Amino acid sequence: MHMPSHVVDQIVALEERLRIAMLAADCDALDQLIAADLIFTDHMGRVLSKADDLDAHRSGLLKLDHLQPSEMKISATPQLAVVSVRMKMTGTYDEGPFAADLRYTRVWRHSTSAGWEVLAGHSSHVVAT
């Protein structure tokens, strides 16, 4: 399957916008980048909604200090993209510090009304072998 290079370039840029918005707890930007019907499964197996995600940033429950992406892989069509990216991160959750090495899988959906939005996501711990 041929991946449209302009779509891949858009997704790379959107992933960076998402990373910056998460670091800044920019809920307006996150609101634009995340679909209303988001389904996100975190590394603990919890299923979270868009409201859950935005509330964690808005309330200060989750504060991210560092997000370093690597090993990004993208598969895309004009309307759908799947991203796998490794993310080393530090921050605080519920005022407790954390450092994590996670792999995220995100599904981006394109619509004429909303543009590109994250429809689904999953994170899991990277285990060194």
Side-chain angles (χ1 to χ4, degrees):
M1 178 178 103
H2 174 70
M3 286 192 297
S5 62
H6 71 283
V7 173
V8 173
D9 293 343
Q10 287 176 338
I11 296 302
V12 169
L14 287 163
E15 282 283 324
E16 180 61 9
R17 282 183 54 205
L18 181 64
R19 187 184 77 80
I20 291 167
M22 290 170 64
L23 280 169
D26 183 343
C27 291
D28 290 335
L30 291 170
D31 187 42
Q32 292 176 357
L33 292 166
I34 299 171
D37 49 347
L38 172 76
I39 299 172
F40 181 79
T41 305
D42 73 8
H43 62 284
M44 308 248 319
R46 297 176 293 204
V47 178
L48 306 172
S49 67
K50 178 178 182 172
D52 296 329
D53 190 297
L54 292 176
D55 288 346
H57 288 281
R58 188 177 292 117
S59 69
L61 177 69
L62 174 64
K63 293 180 186 172
L64 298 169
D65 300 321
H66 178 78
L67 288 171
Q68 182 61 50
S70 66
E71 302 176 25
M72 183 180 289
K73 296 180 190 288
I74 300 172
S75 178
T77 70
Q79 288 80 35
L80 195 69
V82 178
V83 176
S84 174
V85 62
R86 186 172 182 172
M87 194 75 68
K88 291 189 178 182
M89 60 180 60
T90 60
T92 58
Y93 184 81
D94 199 16
E95 299 185 18
F98 74 87
D101 186 1
L102 300 176
R103 178 153 325 260
Y104 284 88
T105 302
R106 280 189 272 272
V107 177
W108 290 85
R109 170 185 62 194
H110 186 270
S111 70
T112 53
S113 60
W116 286 101
E117 297 178 305
V118 178
L119 174 63
H122 184 271
S123 65
S124 58
H125 281 284
V126 174
V127 179
T129 55

